[in-house]
Amino acid sequence: MGVKLGILGLGTVGTGTVQLLQDLQGRHPLLQEVEICRIGVRSPNKSRPVNLPQEILSGDLSAIVNDPQIDIIVELMGGLEPARTLIMTAIENGKHVVTANKAVISRFGEEIFTAANASGVYVMFEAAVAGGIPVIKTLKQSLSVNKLHSIIGIVNGTTNYILTRMQTEGSELEEVLADAQRLGYAEADPTADIDGLDAGDKIAILASLGFGERINLQDVYCEGIRQITKTDIAYAGKLGFVIKLLAIAKNQTGDKSQLSVRVHPTLVSQTHPLASINGVYNAILVEGEPIGQVMFFGPGAGAGPTGSAVCSDILNLVATIKTNTAQANPLLSCRHKEYCHIAPISQLVTRFYARFLTKDHPGVIGKLGTCFGKYQVSLESVVQTGFQGEMAEIVVVTHDVKEGDFRQSLEEIHTMEAIDSIPSILRVL
Amino acid sequence: MGVKLGILGLGTVGTGTVQLLQDLQGRHPLLQEVEICRIGVRSPNKSRPVNLPQEILSGDLSAIVNDPQIDIIVELMGGLEPARTLIMTAIENGKHVVTANKAVISRFGEEIFTAANASGVYVMFEAAVAGGIPVIKTLKQSLSVNKLHSIIGIVNGTTNYILTRMQTEGSELEEVLADAQRLGYAEADPTADIDGLDAGDKIAILASLGFGERINLQDVYCEGIRQITKTDIAYAGKLGFVIKLLAIAKNQTGDKSQLSVRVHPTLVSQTHPLASINGVYNAILVEGEPIGQVMFFGPGAGAGPTGSAVCSDILNLVATIKTNTAQANPLLSCRHKEYCHIAPISQLVTRFYARFLTKDHPGVIGKLGTCFGKYQVSLESVVQTGFQGEMAEIVVVTHDVKEGDFRQSLEEIHTMEAIDSIPSILRVL
């Protein structure tokens, strides 16, 4: 008996998934058990890049998640509603779910996985993070024997593409963004990508898998790349860094209550493995005990890679259905019971880069240094890099400091007569 | 009821495994089900870096694999015998097996997996390839929905360490090897590493997983790094390449009968993701349809990383035992039925780098070019790089050629009066 799929959504990822499932030669033979039963779409009569019998397509998505013959619902619509409600209904109807929907999983994980455990079904979401890179199963089933120290990812292809081009071409964000939109690498409304919210959803998911508890998305600090200028990219380069939008989950003290989960543009040493991840590629670096550092690198989006991730979830569900298990598989079901306490960003201990525009007073570097010292901010370097008009430009890199202390020192520095402005403040990995 | 382990071997990997299992705070809670019941060692009274009740240690390994209370045998002795016989006995006794033994798996896969399928047990071997990098489960359970084109790995840390140091220090192999032996990065008898045999075992395993059939180890072409000189590393660098010992499985025509499985030192473009994998690190680049390229990078050896891989296998077995499955899980058991036909190396299509020492006759480049042309060897570049004593040195890089044709042309070139010798012939990725 075949395993019957109901697919919701036939956009880029849906199309990639159907194409893979229609061409099985050379793939895992277990996929031959899969039958695409129904596909829910907004416009059933639209012409499609895949050949499908007309009767499979339907505009009635609710009927699909309520269809008793369907074993697995594959939700590839994106967006919060109706995706969330359809997923919940499928679970209540005893169907397994595969989804690529990072927004729903990161926001409604508790209700979804609680319901799934109660119904004895699995909700799989390999495609929700980092496209084709099989990081979800790896974190759940392999790396979970480690005590993780950190998960650091480049998980948003759009911003990585923009930052890579700004770096190689010396352009400003607006120019590259406009071009990326023209080329289809950025959406018409780029807010979710540019402001780090998409990466925030993804690191919330990765953190919950890596650190074994639920993450409240509101606790994830998200800072995007809007304020990044070609000037900072150039200075970073001179100091031996590139600027990357990193999504970071880090257990600084080995104490779960000190988990830090955040997204922000970051100065990364040019010799760091993440520094050479360019363009739309994604990468995830995991550090733990006793494994040390492992990194996964690959295409973060697109029909093919994301379709591969979706189908790997389908493959695992088919294997599970075929084995006819008496108990739930604890490596497929969600084991989270509580929420992590996430430290506020003011508690973060990190290095900083900051650029100051100052009136060219004598002694301004001394005044900066004195004020930093007052707040326990220890400096690695202070360089007067040049002039912008009448203003002298000073770039400061700190040693590890507590973010709250650093921010206080900046507040005081803001009030100094010699300081015109602080155009950029960035964290250093 | 706990899951009872019998561990065979308490060397580096065994110690790493026991240390992990003795310190479970912050790891997957399912590991708490595991009980280390017995450990087989050569010298039960030797002092050990781990604390164990004396009664757990035993010199009678056969008694352990025959002990009816033991659920999982964890074979960490290495070597062919008695490891192979102990594994076979454990399987016949209905025990699951976890092993780090690439030599046994690559040579005796057929008898082991046939017996395991017949006994309804699983043989897991995540630690056999690339240490901590979870590439085995990923190939079996995630990437197998793709049609793979190639698997290209740096899977031997010793040779990668040696090549990296030769490159950064401009030293010859003998000096670096001696130092590596002193530091414990190379064994007293380095044959298996230096001659590519260890990498051959590993690519045979990866190829069988990636291409869905058994690999006959005798068909794997293995060429080591003994002939690599600092001269070639320097020339490679000038041409924009680094030299890496690559293990390659490639399906050039999409036809399984054209699978090429081989290990050899290779010129890799400095911009290629594998070019920057240095020191004892391993990396595996997988290319397939529709996923594109994904790469996994991490520590290829050592107690911690390998112990992590062993324990991830234990975790998966515990999950499977706990779910009480009625049928074998097709993603854990071996699905291979036949052997791949592997194309002989003469059929390989690749680019070549070759260095010639020639008597400084006028027209020698012309003669080389004419001879190459006769055998359909098309050249990308021919450069007279300098002189070695009386001899002129000429470096040739070809376009893609059939290896058999290239070798024939070299045989004829060898007979030319103007040619003194051909000190190096290397493939180019």
Side-chain angles (χ1 to χ4, degrees), chain A residues 85-157:
Chain A
T85 302
L86 290 165
I87 289 172
M88 289 301 291
T89 307
I91 292 169
E92 282 152 25
N93 288 331
K95 301 180 192 315
H96 301 293
V97 172
V98 173
T99 176
N101 198 322
K102 59 204 156 271
V104 164
I105 294 294
S106 65
R107 278 166 190 75
F108 305 111
E110 179 171 0
E111 68 171 12
I112 287 172
F113 293 108
T114 304
N117 288 349
S119 282
V121 298
Y122 303 112
V123 176
M124 312 279 280
F125 48 94
E126 185 65 72
V129 181
I133 307 173
V135 67
I136 300 290
K137 277 183 212 56
T138 302
L139 276 173
K140 282 168 88 167
Q141 298 175 16
S142 298
L143 300 180
S144 50
V145 302
N146 290 277
K147 303 186 193 200
L148 293 200
H149 301 148
S150 61
I151 301 172
I152 307 181
I154 293 174
V155 291
N156 181 272

Side-chain angles (χ1 to χ4, degrees), chain B residues 319-395:
Chain B
T320 301
I321 292 168
K322 289 277 148 189
T323 52
N324 196 10
T325 57
Q327 270 87 37
N329 184 331
L331 292 184
L332 294 184
S333 58
C334 176
R335 62 186 165 100
H336 302 160
K337 296 194 181 75
E338 291 171 35
Y339 279 87
C340 280
H341 178 253
I342 296 181
I345 194 77
S346 60
Q347 297 281 322
L348 177 66
V349 174
T350 181
R351 293 164 69 202
F352 275 96
Y353 156 101
R355 183 160 57 91
F356 301 84
L357 287 181
T358 72
K359 292 157 198 161
D360 191 23
H361 287 183
V364 63
I365 286 183
K367 281 177 190 157
L368 281 176
T370 306
C371 181
F372 280 132
K374 188 172 153 190
Y375 293 95
Q376 287 82 49
V377 175
S378 154
L379 302 182
E380 185 184 294
S381 66
V382 184
V383 180
Q384 187 184 326
T385 49
F387 289 88
Q388 289 224 357
E390 306 258 293
M391 298 294 166
E393 197 165 43
I394 294 174
V395 168

Side-chain angles (χ1 to χ4, degrees), chain A residues 92 135 152 191 211 395-396 400:
Chain A
E92 282 152 25
V135 67
I152 307 181
T191 310
F211 297 97
V395 168
V396 165
D400 267 346

Side-chain angles (χ1 to χ4, degrees), chain A residues 85 109 119 121 181 194 213 222 338 408:
Chain A
T85 302
S119 282
V121 298
Q181 286 171 318
I194 298 293
E213 296 195 87
C222 286
E338 289 171 34
Q408 274 195 294

Side-chain angles (χ1 to χ4, degrees), chain A residues 23 27 147 289 295 297, chain B residues 23 27 147 289 295 297:
Chain A
D23 168 28
R27 309 190 192 282
K147 303 186 193 200
E289 182 279 320
M295 192 172 89
F297 154 84
Chain B
D23 168 25
R27 308 190 194 281
K147 303 184 193 202
E289 181 278 320
M295 193 171 90
F297 154 86

Side-chain angles (χ1 to χ4, degrees), chain B residues 274-290:
Chain B
L274 289 168
S276 53
I277 308 303
N278 289 323
V280 294
Y281 275 91
N282 280 196
I284 292 149
L285 180 73
V286 178
E287 206 171 324
E289 181 278 320

Side-chain angles (χ1 to χ4, degrees), chain B residues 122-258:
Chain B
Y122 303 112
V123 177
M124 312 280 280
F125 48 95
E126 185 65 70
V129 182
I133 307 174
V135 67
I136 301 289
K137 277 182 209 61
T138 301
L139 275 174
K140 282 168 88 167
Q141 298 175 17
S142 296
L143 300 181
S144 51
V145 302
N146 290 276
K147 303 184 193 202
L148 292 200
H149 302 149
S150 63
I151 301 173
I152 307 180
I154 294 173
V155 292
N156 181 273
T158 302
T159 47
N160 201 50
Y161 174 83
I162 290 172
L163 290 173
T164 302
R165 281 196 53 188
M166 287 174 70
Q167 183 189 321
T168 50
E169 297 167 14
S171 338
E172 291 292 6
L173 186 128
E174 298 73 36
E175 314 163 36
V176 180
L177 174 58
D179 209 39
Q181 285 171 320
R182 209 176 42 76
L183 293 167
Y185 291 136
E187 310 211 17
D189 175 3
T191 310
D193 293 320
I194 298 294
D195 292 338
L197 308 173
D198 171 84
D201 287 349
K202 290 167 176 170
I203 194 66
I205 294 172
L206 295 178
S208 76
L209 294 174
F211 297 97
E213 296 194 86
R214 296 206 163 95
I215 302 289
N216 191 331
L217 192 62
Q218 272 117 46
D219 296 339
V220 177
Y221 175 86
C222 285
E223 181 184 318
I225 66 166
R226 281 194 203 273
Q227 82 283 22
I228 303 297
T229 61
K230 66 180 182 186
T231 309
D232 290 308
I233 290 179
Y235 283 142
K238 279 183 203 156
L239 293 165
F241 296 103
V242 296
I243 298 181
K244 293 289 184 190
L245 184 69
L246 296 189
I248 301 176
K250 195 166 181 179
N251 194 355
Q252 257 171 323
T253 59
D255 169 2
K256 270 184 201 161
S257 67
Q258 282 304 313

